[in-house]
Amino acid sequence: MKKAFTMIELVFVIVVIGILAAVIMPNTRTNPVREAAIQLVSHIRYTQHLAMLDDKFDASDTNWYKKRWQIAFVSVSGTTTIASNHKIAYTIYSDSSGSSSGDANFDEIAKNPENINQVMTGGYSGTDKRLQINEEEFQGMKKLNIGMSYGITSLSFSAECKVSGSHRIAFDYLGRPIKGKLGGASGSGNAEAYEDDNLIQTNCDITLSDGTTPVVIRVAP
């Protein structure tokens, strides 16, 4: 006589598997804040990589240091109108055109190495629809808008790497991190004074949060 499972035994096994799945699955789900942090770490390193490859020194230009590669964080609505639903995004660029105003123009933004038809911004304010995430003409990367893509509601810099309201980090040709807006240092026009004032000397902490879960990224000097 062949042995077989009874219907009751099969139901019991299915119930046990269901209970185990309910216990285990929440622990295997991804955490959006951690995903955003992992992505951001990768892009901070990529900004450093660009800066080390592309030394901006030019003895004939007193403002050459303003053109260093940087990663800048902004709060954008995605349109030219002022809205209450601003989302946190970041942009990787070299402020190389014109008078180096501190703002990113489309042609100054790094190309996505995986798709040269995209630039590395999650949205930027201004009138250029190519940089506005909710416009059809948007040519950036939606994942760089960590507010929309990962639910990040707050981003803060520690005092060691924050200059006034500026949330950005640049790098020199040695890969050293520099805090603040590149044109805002004392001794404007003097690269030596700029570096003395703004090189990050102690650990710089960037905190991301979705309102409940904070994750800290540390940029070492």
Side-chain angles (χ1 to χ4, degrees):
M1 181 178 176
K2 294 182 178 180
K3 293 183 178 180
F5 290 108
T6 66
M7 183 62 70
I8 293 176
E9 288 173 327
L10 287 173
V11 171
F12 178 75
V13 170
I14 293 172
V15 169
V16 170
I17 291 173
I19 293 172
L20 290 174
V23 172
I24 295 172
M25 286 301 291
N27 295 326
T28 60
R29 290 175 185 164
T30 56
N31 182 318
V33 183
R34 291 189 180 277
E35 286 184 0
I38 291 169
Q39 173 186 292
L40 183 52
V41 167
S42 174
H43 286 155
I44 290 173
R45 289 190 179 278
Y46 185 62
T47 307
Q48 182 187 45
H49 170 73
L50 290 174
M52 294 173 72
L53 287 179
D54 186 18
D55 184 5
K56 296 297 184 180
F57 177 73
D58 182 353
S60 64
D61 182 4
T62 58
N63 291 318
W64 66 267
Y65 60 89
K66 296 181 182 180
K67 301 175 182 179
R68 285 174 166 147
W69 285 96
Q70 60 185 291
I71 181 167
F73 299 87
V74 296
S75 178
V76 296
S77 64
T79 67
T80 55
T81 58
I82 297 175
S84 60
N85 61 336
H86 289 179
K87 304 293 184 182
I88 297 169
Y90 60 90
T91 301
I92 298 172
Y93 71 105
S94 165
D95 194 12
S96 55
S97 66
S99 59
S100 299
S101 65
D103 294 321
N105 295 328
F106 182 84
D107 294 332
E108 298 174 333
I109 301 174
K111 297 286 187 182
N112 177 5
E114 297 179 352
N115 181 356
I116 61 172
N117 295 317
Q118 291 181 321
V119 293
M120 300 190 73
T121 182
Y124 211 82
S125 58
T127 59
D128 192 336
K129 291 186 177 181
R130 294 174 297 177
L131 303 181
Q132 296 173 20
I133 196 167
N134 291 328
E135 298 291 344
E136 291 183 5
E137 296 91 334
F138 182 63
Q139 294 183 31
M141 300 168 61
K142 290 186 176 181
K143 279 198 168 184
L144 273 61
N145 191 307
I146 54 177
M148 294 180 68
S149 299
Y150 299 102
I152 303 302
T153 57
S154 67
L155 180 145
S156 61
F157 278 30
S158 60
E160 291 77 12
C161 56
K162 184 176 181 181
V163 178
S164 299
S166 177
H167 292 79
R168 62 181 73 200
I169 294 177
F171 293 92
D172 67 9
Y173 74 103
L174 294 175
R176 297 180 298 179
I178 301 169
K179 61 185 176 180
K181 195 171 182 178
L182 291 175
S186 60
S188 180
N190 185 327
E192 312 301 339
Y194 175 78
E195 291 188 348
D196 289 343
D197 286 350
N198 291 273
L199 277 174
I200 291 176
Q201 304 290 346
T202 57
N203 289 331
C204 166
D205 290 341
I206 303 173
T207 303
L208 308 178
S209 177
D210 62 356
T212 57
T213 304
V215 174
V216 178
I217 297 169
R218 173 158 290 176
V219 178

